[in-house]
Amino acid sequence: MGYELHYWPMIPGRGEFVRLALEEAGAPYRDVAREDGDDGGIAPMLDRLSDPDDLRPPFAPPFLRDGAVMIGQTAAILLYLGPRLGLVGDVEADRIWTHQIQLTVADAVNEAHDTHHPVGVGLYYADQKPEALRRAKDFREARIPKFLGWFERILAANGGAHLVGAEISYADLSLFQLVEGLRYAFPRATARALRDAPHVAALREAVSERPRIAAYLASSRRIPFNEDGIFRRYPELDG
Amino acid sequence: MGYELHYWPMIPGRGEFVRLALEEAGAPYRDVAREDGDDGGIAPMLDRLSDPDDLRPPFAPPFLRDGAVMIGQTAAILLYLGPRLGLVGDVEADRIWTHQIQLTVADAVNEAHDTHHPVGVGLYYADQKPEALRRAKDFREARIPKFLGWFERILAANGGAHLVGAEISYADLSLFQLVEGLRYAFPRATARALRDAPHVAALREAVSERPRIAAYLASSRRIPFNEDGIFRRYPELDG
């Protein structure tokens, strides 16, 4: 049976934060839009987004189906999966703190996206390049250091190995993905910022070496970053 | 005892989503930065953001203190407060759906903010006005109708009176505030969009007439929208 993930099949995007949690836990799941065959592809996803009979339709991908429950919004999906996959602590204070970190990762992801789409998602990058150059400068110089500085601070305060408690959580996996995305899109700016965030750099490496994550990253299930996604390598935006 | 809210005192901003929940529930709380006296003002907030001994510091305001627990990120605060204030259902599926709606409100709020700050939060509006004009056009024409259309759809699917179940939830209050903000910042574009979203318009009015909310809105505790906040009335951005 297992979970059903619905997300755009050609980009890692926001779906990747959900995939990493499912992969780390070894949970059975279908990545529906990436499957061939009659019940695969993006048609089921598009159907669910526009199904007039659906009382609780997601606003946008990614969304997750678990039997009769359908959940949209990346952070809400992880909130739901965390306890089920053993990727969050048992205590409410730990759960809310993990979620708070996840929402801050989401803010950073949104801002990374907006570096190449500062005017609007409905326009091409080529049609908003002057705006993108200005926004990316602010993101590189002010926002990447601020976000990574906060993650560094809370990692250091927790002993360095994990963001929350003594075990891996979905927040660790999400921070890994954020840093991977930033390294792809802004390699020079991110390398500079990581020199001041050694715990973040070490966590990124430690996550990449976890057996299930390492196997996943080496598999065809991992979609490479590319210039249709959230994190895009446009060298001019890296300064 | 009660809750302690910490947020910038001169704008409704993201803190307002927390205030509305506390006010609707009649919960005792201190709006610390708006208080005079030795333990009021923004100094306690700024101290908490930079306190090197704080193991779980918020990334940014607003944040809420409940005894020993400190929570940042608006949606996480409401996730925590919802059950305590009776502003979310008891069933997990209802709670995650309410949170999913809240996160979609948060996305709309972020996009509304970025209409006047498309390049970066560190720059003045006057220094990014050409970019703002382009971004606001996309927001008015594509995003406001898309967001309000989704809220309309899920309200209608639930019978029209509430977003989730048969009782008020923090998502209803947050949608009220989003619509109020949009009406302030984009009066013409929002009036147009609300003509196609009658349930959203009716919910906004119903929330404004709830006894505790009406009393709050008429009080000095309610901070008027203004041009330092998220929702700013720059007529040129309303098309």
Side-chain angles (χ1 to χ4, degrees):
Chain A
M1 183 61 210
Y3 300 103
E4 274 183 19
L5 174 65
H6 294 263
Y7 193 64
W8 303 109
M10 307 308 284
I11 63 170
R14 293 183 174 84
E16 193 66 11
F17 297 94
V18 182
R19 284 194 198 96
L20 285 167
L22 293 164
E23 293 282 348
E24 168 62 27
Y29 74 102
R30 291 181 56 203
D31 198 346
V32 179
R34 299 195 71 208
E35 291 181 359
D36 298 326
D38 283 351
D39 58 351
I42 62 170
M45 176 175 93
L46 299 179
D47 286 349
R48 297 308 301 237
L49 287 171
S50 59
D51 178 1
D53 295 329
D54 189 347
L55 300 180
R56 296 184 170 186
F59 181 74
F63 52 92
L64 184 87
R65 196 162 86 86
D66 179 20
V69 180
M70 178 87 86
I71 306 160
Q73 285 280 0
T74 311
I77 297 170
L78 292 170
L79 182 72
Y80 178 85
L81 286 177
R84 289 170 171 78
L85 302 181
L87 289 174
V88 72
D90 291 330
V91 179
E92 188 198 14
D94 287 349
R95 290 191 178 182
I96 205 97
W97 173 233
T98 306
H99 195 59
Q100 185 179 332
I101 298 168
Q102 182 65 39
L103 291 171
T104 307
V105 169
D107 284 345
V109 169
N110 285 343
E111 293 191 25
H113 170 271
D114 284 358
T115 58
H116 51 77
H117 274 72
V119 174
V121 291
L123 298 170
Y124 291 109
Y125 170 62
D127 295 327
Q128 50 192 308
K129 199 164 156 183
E131 294 90 342
L133 288 168
R134 291 190 71 195
R135 173 118 189 188
K137 181 174 191 290
D138 184 74
F139 185 69
R140 282 194 316 269
E141 295 179 0
R143 303 301 287 171
I144 291 179
K146 183 171 166 75
F147 278 112
L148 294 192
W150 185 73
F151 292 119
E152 177 69 15
R153 181 179 163 201
I154 63 175
L155 263 173
N158 192 46
H162 295 293
L163 284 161
V164 186
E167 306 284 341
I168 186 114
S169 72
Y170 65 78
D172 289 333
L173 301 170
S174 292
L175 180 56
F176 160 81
Q177 179 64 10
L178 170 64
V179 174
E180 287 296 85
L182 292 174
R183 290 172 74 221
Y184 177 80
F186 304 95
R188 294 178 353 137
T190 306
R192 273 196 303 275
L194 284 175
R195 281 200 286 276
D196 294 325
H199 290 99
V200 175
L203 175 71
R204 186 209 68 78
E205 190 162 344
V207 168
S208 76
E209 292 169 352
R210 295 181 68 86
R212 283 175 172 154
I213 296 293
Y216 167 65
L217 296 177
S219 78
S220 63
R221 299 193 302 286
R222 171 80 168 180
I223 305 168
F225 291 109
N226 61 62
E227 281 59 55
D228 292 315
I230 291 170
F231 297 103
R232 304 188 186 185
R233 181 169 288 174
Y234 295 137
E236 63 273 22
L237 299 188
D238 195 21
Chain B
M1 182 60 211
Y3 300 103
E4 274 182 20
L5 174 66
H6 294 262
Y7 192 64
W8 303 109
M10 306 309 285
I11 63 171
R14 293 183 175 83
E16 193 65 11
F17 298 94
V18 182
R19 283 192 200 97
L20 284 167
L22 293 164
E23 293 282 349
E24 168 62 27
Y29 74 101
R30 291 181 56 202
D31 198 345
V32 179
R34 300 194 71 207
E35 291 181 359
D36 298 325
D38 284 352
D39 59 351
I42 62 170
M45 176 176 94
L46 299 178
D47 287 349
R48 297 307 300 236
L49 287 170
S50 60
D51 178 1
D53 294 329
D54 189 347
L55 300 180
R56 296 182 169 187
F59 180 75
F63 52 91
L64 184 87
R65 197 161 87 86
D66 180 19
V69 179
M70 178 89 85
I71 306 161
Q73 285 280 0
T74 310
I77 296 170
L78 292 170
L79 182 72
Y80 178 86
L81 285 178
R84 288 170 172 79
L85 302 182
L87 289 174
V88 72
D90 290 331
V91 179
E92 188 197 14
D94 287 348
R95 290 191 178 183
I96 205 96
W97 172 235
T98 307
H99 195 58
Q100 183 180 332
I101 298 168
Q102 182 65 40
L103 291 171
T104 307
V105 170
D107 285 345
V109 169
N110 285 342
E111 294 190 24
H113 170 271
D114 284 359
T115 57
H116 51 76
H117 274 73
V119 175
V121 290
L123 297 170
Y124 290 108
Y125 170 63
D127 295 328
Q128 49 192 309
K129 199 164 156 183
E131 294 90 342
L133 287 168
R134 290 190 71 196
R135 173 120 189 186
K137 180 174 191 291
D138 183 75
F139 185 69
R140 282 194 317 269
E141 296 179 0
R143 303 301 286 170
I144 290 178
K146 184 173 165 74
F147 278 113
L148 294 193
W150 185 74
F151 292 119
E152 179 68 15
R153 182 179 162 200
I154 63 175
L155 263 174
N158 191 47
H162 295 292
L163 284 160
V164 186
E167 306 285 340
I168 187 116
S169 72
Y170 64 78
D172 289 333
L173 301 171
S174 293
L175 180 56
F176 160 81
Q177 179 64 11
L178 170 64
V179 174
E180 287 296 85
L182 291 174
R183 290 172 74 222
Y184 178 81
F186 304 96
R188 294 178 353 136
T190 306
R192 272 195 304 275
L194 284 175
R195 282 200 285 275
D196 293 326
H199 291 98
V200 175
L203 176 70
R204 186 210 68 78
E205 190 163 344
V207 168
S208 76
E209 292 168 353
R210 295 181 69 85
R212 282 175 173 155
I213 296 295
Y216 166 65
L217 296 177
S219 78
S220 63
R221 301 194 300 287
R222 171 79 168 180
I223 305 168
F225 291 109
N226 61 64
E227 281 57 57
D228 293 315
I230 291 171
F231 297 102
R232 303 187 187 186
R233 181 169 286 175
Y234 295 137
E236 63 273 21
L237 298 188
D238 196 20

